[in-house]
């Protein structure tokens, strides 16, 4: 009781310290204490975080990557559909690496946010010398420089970072590590008796007699240890029978050359109660030998089996490394909170689960089987009616600061270790705080855990839509005058107009070029050499494309443009670029390549339901920003 | 720790012997970062000018971007070049060792100045090709560097950045493009601004207020024309903090500070719309901060003049910025312009990196590449070639089972430098003295012992070269003009001869671009050789993963006869090379494969090849298909995925005429027989100890990985 009181005062004290600067309304000065975890303190941290995850309502995650996109158009653009956003995120996740992975189990209790922030330093070191988890990875110098500016210690990360294997890699590695261990569980499939041939039974008998001899040799030597003369003979007998030591126990290795023989050996061992068989894996995942370990009694046998189990677990832990944390989050089935879900979870999936599937639907299914609820604070911002997607966490925070009028105190309990505390991975706390404010705004009455209003906002993978129903409805309430919804068939990509073109210049050029541009239309640059044109009048885009494809027949101004090298393509072509991974540095080159590749099946899949994307006049790339 | 031990040992050794020259024999190498780059460069210019030769060495973030990109014995020389090119394209150089050597005839000793440059591809100018600022890291190489105490923090925080010649030209071209049109207002995209719509109430209020403020300011200016009075009056205004009056190029101006970008755009709009005498200007001030001004001009022509002046100023600034971003390339330019003899150890990859990082994109063929290199570096010498092709040196090194890794060669050839113990050999008269100079510290037996640090490796390379020259009886005293070194007739057989790939023993002549196997070859495995016939080869991938080489061979033997397959080489676990005994069998196989896949009758099911084709994913092509897959910039870990990603549409290559490769005179080459068969090269290396350590300098990470297996 007394202890508990002491604990609670500690909490109060810590919460006071954490919330005091909050009153200054100055985020930057606030001391954020995040536990820094490296290889050297990983084991303790793992035990700790296990309890914290179990006792918390949510888990927030945030990744620090070595890069994001190689050229401007390869980042998720406002007019990208969910499919395309996934392809882009997948491409990044497969090439770049992350050096820091922040995990923060937290709970929201009325106006209190109790958080346990951890920041894991990762390095894909090849611990098992099998070319895993990553043969090589890509870095962008700007990302590394930014990390260096924050004082990140690369030497410590590379030397003392925690390695890992994904689930898929682990199962592949098990066969290749060649540890002579621990496959004793899968052996209890009895042989069909009828299948035994004469040769088989001879083999079984030979094994049996060999084992019998070996056991008696071992037991004899134990009984007569003091008799000197016999000791020599016994040790000779042991050598002859091929006995060796497995830990403190005697063992015998029986070489086998087929799976059939493995089963026969195991069958013949059934007659001996005191032995435990182990399978020694060979190079190609087959069994190379059966190691028979002799135990002294029934209790010893149980003890030995337990010992083996522990050893296996330890070995597996070493193999999994940081993934253990991911597995903990997964088994806890707690809702996971992140900022920019699709970017973070494509990384998480490809590094810790399995290679990314080829479609977003498979990805969604695969991910939801591991994490039942995933919240994207970015999406929640839209759910509470934020005008547009705020790509930067800081922007979302400052907007929320204005909107959120309630009280929220951040508490990091003081018991949360004074050692290994540092500033890296702070953003995960910001995500926690933002999420807490958002959930309090969405459902002010629900005190703790996930209220139903919140749950309906989980697992939304589309980076731009506010809810799944958007896909069907024409227009949902979130649209403001800045954002308009457009059918992707009204979008046309245009390129080949030479360098130094701006959206304005191009718009002027086009408006006089063809009557399709007599209606309302907008031009934005997708990157320096490629523009996107939206036709607000339905059908105009199609007509325009038709004329462009016909080479500007009967339309002199367009013919001129075409002869100057201007080309046009539909949104489907852009989809194909991302689908086929034509990640050229310039979007124009990629589109050219996509057009080259597929002359025969132009828009074959026209029966697809029309998709909508949002058009935000502010958000597109401005040429001057490039 | 290791270095400390060496230091203590060295110290103990030198203590009793009262040497009058220098007692401390170990001091830190000259580490160069961006903080001391400029002064070091001045010194280095002098050292390089005086030098007889300059030794260089590089440390990279990786060597091969995928296991199948490693160099194999069955790689034709054009493939070898493609692999080197891929490596130089993908990985970054993080450390650059430069060590000028000068012969001092009075001291009868070389003077060496080892430098260890930390470099990092930090983006210093905008609008550059982004892809030049991303690079691969091979996990094992990074681990390897870490094990040798490489300081990544220094490299990333303080590494010297650089621009290649190509990047610089491109940046200047873009600059010219931007200032090409003579419109004075092109520096601020005013027309873009004019397009802005004022529809937010806040914006309208803000513009009205600002308009009044500016009008007032202008009014007072015209009324009084006295700057002193202006300032005092201005202070009373609420926004005076943000609008200070200053003089800009002899014109009165308002200094706008503390406005947001959006507000500045609004101000720009107001000025353009409502004030004919005022002009909005953005410049970079002395403190290299962006400064926004509203400047008063007396007339239209005055305004134009001012704007032109501002434009020129900005342009000059941008040019300076580009020049400033050249950074480490100045060292390369220095080495190039001095036309000194460049010495490296197994340096073809190093040269490729130098070209890629500091000159421009690599040409697509080795022939074009070496021709381009010759323009910048007319004399390059590879110590590894010297050690392996000269009989005198070879016999010297034979004692230790012919190991020519840099550190081994250094220890054997230069015992007087490598070890603190005085060598007890009889051939003392050949031993070359090397005095090391770092800033004003000098030592005759300097040895930092920091293996795999670029600066120290460059120093070792130079010492090995000097010693090798001594054994070749090159008379150092006979070389008064240091430029005559590359022309010494005793070195003629070695200058500009580099290993294209050490594993294959192919030496490329930089002058002609010709490639031939090394002449005197004592490689013990050359005795048991087999012919590699490229035109007889088929590359096969996507077959069932459980299939072993022996099974594949069996299938082919059954289909084409027992002697049809002469060899099978593993590329990785997803792909194999099959060499047929006859060239016709290549097309025969490809045709048969197509037929088998098309038909689904019982014959094709029981056909011996069906085992290989099982799963329907098996693809096959000839040697040229392999080449086209290698030349792609994509790098997937497994060959089958690579072929897929490269976008090979066919499952079986349709056969056109096989293009003759003009750059490969030795179309068919010789390769060791048994070890390579059915094995991956890597495995061969880990089994045969002979040249494991040779890999050291060229494939540090892999070699380390092999050894630790």
């Amino acid at each position: 009781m007394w202890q508990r009181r002491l604990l609670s005062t500690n909490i109060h004290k810590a919460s006071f310290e954490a919330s005091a600067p909050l009153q200054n309304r100055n985020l930057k000065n606030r001391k954020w204490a995040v536990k820094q975890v490296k290889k050297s303190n990983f084991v303790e941290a793992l035990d700790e975080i296990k309890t914290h995850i179990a006792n918390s309502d949510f888990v927030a995650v945030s990744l620090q990557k070595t890069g994001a996109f190689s050229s401007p158009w390869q980042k998720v653009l406002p007019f990208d559909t969910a499919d395309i956003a996934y392809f882009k995120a997948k491409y990044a996740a497969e090439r770049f690496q992350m050096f820091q992975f922040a995990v923060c189990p937290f709970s929201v209790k009325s106006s209190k946010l109790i958080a346990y922030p951890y920041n894991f330093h990762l390095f894909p070191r090849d611990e098992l010398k099998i070319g895993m988890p990553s043969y090589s990875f890509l870095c962008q110098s700007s990302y590394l420089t930014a990390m260096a500016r924050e004082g990140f210690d690369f030497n410590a990360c590379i030397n003392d970072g925690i390695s890992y294997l994904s689930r898929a890699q682990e199962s592949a590695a098990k066969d290749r590590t060649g540890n002579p261990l621990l496959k004793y569980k899968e052996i209890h499939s009895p042989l069909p008796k009828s299948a035994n041939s004469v040769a088989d039974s001879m083999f079984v008998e030979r094994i049996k007699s060999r084992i019998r001899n070996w056991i008696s040799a071992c037991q004899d030597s134990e009984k007569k240890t003091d008799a000197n003369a016999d000791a020599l003979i016994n040790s000779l007998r042991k050598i002859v029978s091929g006995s060796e030591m497995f830990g403190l126990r005697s063992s015998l290795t029986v070489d086998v050359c087929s799976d059939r023989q493995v089963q026969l050996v195991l069958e013949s061992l059934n007659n001996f109660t005191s032995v435990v068989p182990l399978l020694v894996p060979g190079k190609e995942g087959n069994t190379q030998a059966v190691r028979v370990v002799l135990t002294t009694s029934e209790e010893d046998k149980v003890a030995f089996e337990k010992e083996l189990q522990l050893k296996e677990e330890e070995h597996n832990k070493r193999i999994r490394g940081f993934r253990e944390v991911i597995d903990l989050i997964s088994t806890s089935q707690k809702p996971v909170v992140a900022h920019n879900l699709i970017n973070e979870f494509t990384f998480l999936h490809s590094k810790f689960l399995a290679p990314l599937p080829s479609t977003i639907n498979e990805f969604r299914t695969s991910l939801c089987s591991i994490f039942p609820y995933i919240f994207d604070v970015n999406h929640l911002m839209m759910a509470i009616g934020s005008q547009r997607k705020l790509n930067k966490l800081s922007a979302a925070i400052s907007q929320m600061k204005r909107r959120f009028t309630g009280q929220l105190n951040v508490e990091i309990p003081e018991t949360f270790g004074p050692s290994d505390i540092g500033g890296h991975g702070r953003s995960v706390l910001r995500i926690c705080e933002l999420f807490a404010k958002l959930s309090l705004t969405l459902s002010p009455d629900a005190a703790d855990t996930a209220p139903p209003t919140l749950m309906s906002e989980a697992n939304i993978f589309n980076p731009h839509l506010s809810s799944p129903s958007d896909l069907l409805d024409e227009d949902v309430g979130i649209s403001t005058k800045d954002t308009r919804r457009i059918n992707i068939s009204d979008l046309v990509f245009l390129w080949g107009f030479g360098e130094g073109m701006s959206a304005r210049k191009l718009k002027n050029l086009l408006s006089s070029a063809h009557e399709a541009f007599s209606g309302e239309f907008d031009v934005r640059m997708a990157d320096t050499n490629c523009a996107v044109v939206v036709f607000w009048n339905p059908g105009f885009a199609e007509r325009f494309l038709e004329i462009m494809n016909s080479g500007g027949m009967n339309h002199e101004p367009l013919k001129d443009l075409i002869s100057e090298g201007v080309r046009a393509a539909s949104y489907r072509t852009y989809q194909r670029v991302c689908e086929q991974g034509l990640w050229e540095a310039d979007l124009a080159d990629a589109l050219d390549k996509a057009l080259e590749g597929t002359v025969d099946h132009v828009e074959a899949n026209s029966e697809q339901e029309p998709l909508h994307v949002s058009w935000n006049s502010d958000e597109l790339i401005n040429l001057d920003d490039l | 720790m290791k270095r400390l031990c060496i230091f203590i040992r060295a110290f103990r050794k030198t203590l009793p012997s009262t040497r009058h020259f220098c007692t401390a024999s170990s001091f830190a190498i000259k580490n160069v970062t961006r903080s001391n780059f400029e002064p070091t460069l001045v010194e280095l210019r002098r050292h390089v000018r005086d030098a007889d030769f300059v030794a260089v060495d590089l440390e990279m973030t990786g060597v091969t971007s995928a296991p199948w990109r490693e160099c194999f014995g069955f790689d034709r020389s054009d493939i070898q070049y493609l692999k080197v090119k891929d490596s130089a394209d993908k990985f970054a150089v993080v450390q650059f060792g430069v060590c000028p050597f000068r012969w001092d005839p009075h001291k009868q000793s070389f003077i060496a100045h080892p430098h260890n440059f930390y470099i990092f591809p930090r983006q210093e100018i905008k609008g550059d090709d982004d892809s030049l600022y991303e690079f691969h890291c091979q996990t094992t190489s990074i681990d390897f560097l870490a094990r040798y105490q490489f300081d990544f923090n220094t490299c990333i925080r303080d590494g010297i950045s650089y621009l290649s010649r190509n990047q610089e030209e491109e940046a200047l071209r873009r600059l010219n493009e931007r200032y090409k049109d003579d419109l004075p207002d092109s520096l601020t995209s005013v027309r873009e601004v004019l397009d802005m719509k004022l529809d937010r109430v806040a914006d309208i209020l803000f513009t009205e207020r600002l308009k009044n403020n500016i009008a007032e300011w202008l009014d007072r200016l015209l009324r009084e024309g006295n700057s002193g009075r202006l300032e005092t009056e201005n202070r009373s205004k609420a926004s005076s903090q943000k609008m200070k009056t200053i003089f800009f190029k002899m014109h009165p101006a308002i200094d706008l500070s503390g406005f947001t970008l959006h507000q500045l755009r609004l101000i720009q709009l107001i000025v353009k719309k409502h004030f004919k005498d005022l002009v909005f200007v953005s410049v970079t001030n002395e403190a290299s901060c962006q400064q926004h001004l509203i400047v008063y001009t007396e007339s239209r022509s005055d305004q134009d003049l001012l704007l032109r002046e501002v434009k020129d100023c900005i342009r000059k600034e941008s040019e300076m910025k580009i020049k400033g971003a050249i950074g480490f390339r100045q060292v390369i330019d220095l080495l190039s312009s001095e036309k000194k003899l460049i010495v490296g150890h197994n340096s073809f990859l190093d040269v490729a990196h130098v070209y890629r990082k500091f000159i421009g994109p690599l040409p697509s063929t080795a022939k074009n590449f070496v021709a381009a290199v010759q323009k910048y570096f007319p004399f390059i010498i590879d110590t590894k070639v010297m050690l392996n092709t000269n009989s005198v040196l070879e016999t010297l090194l034979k004692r230790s089972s012919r190991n020519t890794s840099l550190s081994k060669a250094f220890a054997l050839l230069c015992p007087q430098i490598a070890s603190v113990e005085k060598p007890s050999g009889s051939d003392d008269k050949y031993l070359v003295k090397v005095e090391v100079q770092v800033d004003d510290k000098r030592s005759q037996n300097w040895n930092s012992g920091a293996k795999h640090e670029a600066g120290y490796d460059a120093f070792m390379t130079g010492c090995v070269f000097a010693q090798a020259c001594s054994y070749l009886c090159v008379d150092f005293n006979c070389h008064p003009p240091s430029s005559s070194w590359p022309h010494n007739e005793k070195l003629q057989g070695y200058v500009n001869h580099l290993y294209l790939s050490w594993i294959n023993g192919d030496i490329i002549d930089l002058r002609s671009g010709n490639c031939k196997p090394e002449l005197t070859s004592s490689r013990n495995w050359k005795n048991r050789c087999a012919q590699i016939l490229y035109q007889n080869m088929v590359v096969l991938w996507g077959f069932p993963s459980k299939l072993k080489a022996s099974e594949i061979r069996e299938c082919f033997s059954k289909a084409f006869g027992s002697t049809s397959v002469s060899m099978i080489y593993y590329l990785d676990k997803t792909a194999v090379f099959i060499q047929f005994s006859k060239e016709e069998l290549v097309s025969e196989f490809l045709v048969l494969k197509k037929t088998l896949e098309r038909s689904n009758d019982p014959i094709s099911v029981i056909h011996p090849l069906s085992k290989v084709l099982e799963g329907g994913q098996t693809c096959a092509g000839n040697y040229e298909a392999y080449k086209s897959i290698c030349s792609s910039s994509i790098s997937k870990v497994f060959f089958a995925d690579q072929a897929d990603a490269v976008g090979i549409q066919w499952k079986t290559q349709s056969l056109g005429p096989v293009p003759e490769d003009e750059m490969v005179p030795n179309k068919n080459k010789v390769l060791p027989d048994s070890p390579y068969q059915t094995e991956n090269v890597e495995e061969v290396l880990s089994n045969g100890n002979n040249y494991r350590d040779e890999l050291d300098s060229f494939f540090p990470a892999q070699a380390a990985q092999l050894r630790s297996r």
Side-chain angles (χ1 to χ4, degrees), chain B residues 143-353:
Chain B
D143 213 27
F144 174 87
L145 286 173
R147 232 176 308 131
Y148 285 96
Q149 273 89 44
F150 183 85
D151 191 343
F152 293 94
N153 290 338
T154 304
C155 179
I156 295 166
R157 283 177 205 162
D158 296 321
I160 308 152
S161 57
Y162 53 82
L163 277 190
S164 72
R165 280 168 188 253
N166 210 50
Q167 279 172 286
E168 185 196 350
E169 279 161 24
E170 182 63 24
L172 290 173
R173 192 192 60 77
R174 270 200 315 271
L175 191 69
N176 285 333
E177 192 77 23
R178 208 180 322 148
Y179 293 108
K180 187 181 59 187
D181 42 353
D182 222 30
L183 285 168
D185 58 11
S186 68
L187 44 121
T188 52
S189 43
V190 174
R191 281 185 299 168
E192 224 41 69
V193 167
L194 287 178
D195 228 21
M196 238 163 81
K197 287 192 195 83
L198 285 177
D199 39 15
R200 276 202 263 171
V201 185
D203 286 352
I204 294 165
L205 287 176
F206 178 80
T207 32
E208 278 310 307
R209 165 76 170 279
L210 256 289
K211 204 161 85 187
N212 289 339
N213 284 356
I214 295 168
E216 255 175 61
W217 179 82
L218 187 62
D219 239 28
R220 267 199 315 278
L221 184 75
L222 294 176
R223 206 160 3 104
E224 300 168 22
N226 186 320
S227 61
R229 291 277 294 284
L230 259 174
E231 272 179 62
T232 47
E233 270 182 57
N234 225 15
R235 207 174 295 145
S236 61
K237 286 283 152 213
S239 55
S240 65
Q241 280 265 294
K242 288 180 177 176
M243 299 174 69
K244 211 165 68 200
T245 304
I246 58 160
F247 276 89
F248 177 74
K249 295 197 190 295
M250 315 282 284
H251 295 81
I254 307 175
D255 182 6
L256 304 163
S257 57
F259 289 100
T260 66
L261 225 59
H262 179 70
Q263 287 169 334
L264 285 172
R265 267 201 267 170
L266 291 174
I267 294 172
Q268 204 174 341
L269 185 73
I270 302 164
V271 172
K272 193 74 195 168
K273 264 191 182 159
H274 301 286
F275 301 97
K276 291 275 163 285
D277 301 336
L278 298 182
V279 57
F280 184 90
V281 170
S282 295
V283 289
T284 319
N285 62 13
E286 303 86 50
S288 62
C289 292
Q290 271 279 300
Q291 194 178 20
H292 307 280
L293 302 161
I294 301 174
V295 187
Y296 171 75
T297 51
E298 274 161 8
S299 64
R300 184 76 207 169
S301 61
D302 185 29
Q303 192 167 346
D304 282 357
L305 218 65
L306 177 82
L307 283 175
R308 196 149 295 144
E309 204 179 326
V310 168
K311 202 176 103 176
D312 283 349
C313 221
I314 294 174
R315 190 199 167 120
K316 220 159 261 157
E317 261 166 33
S318 315
E319 259 175 30
M320 291 296 287
K321 215 169 169 189
I322 294 170
K323 293 285 172 212
I326 290 172
F328 182 75
R329 203 195 81 214
Q330 295 177 72
V331 175
I332 303 301
D333 287 349
L334 171 67
L335 294 179
S336 170
S337 63
E338 291 290 337
K339 303 219 181 304
K340 291 287 161 163
L341 179 63
I342 306 289
V343 181
H345 189 79
N346 202 358
S347 56
F348 191 76
L349 181 63
D350 289 356
V351 174
H353 268 291

Side-chain angles (χ1 to χ4, degrees), chain A residues 70 123-125 134-141 144-145 148 151-155 158-159 284 499 504 624, chain B residues 64-67 70 120-121 130 133-139 142-143 146 151-153 156-157 195 548 702:
Chain A
S70 299
F123 186 72
R125 201 177 307 100
S134 156
Y135 185 84
S136 78
F137 55 89
L138 199 59
C139 292
Q140 274 174 326
S141 59
L144 297 190
T145 319
F152 184 73
D153 187 344
F154 291 93
N155 292 342
I158 292 162
N159 285 310
E284 277 136 19
E499 223 172 284
R504 218 185 101 79
D624 300 323
Chain B
T64 51
S65 56
E70 282 160 27
F120 187 70
D130 289 328
Y133 299 101
E134 61 180 34
F135 56 88
H136 281 251
C137 291
Q138 195 178 346
T139 316
I142 298 293
D143 213 27
D151 191 343
F152 293 94
N153 290 338
I156 295 166
R157 283 177 205 162
D195 228 21
K548 289 185 199 127
Q702 280 75 8

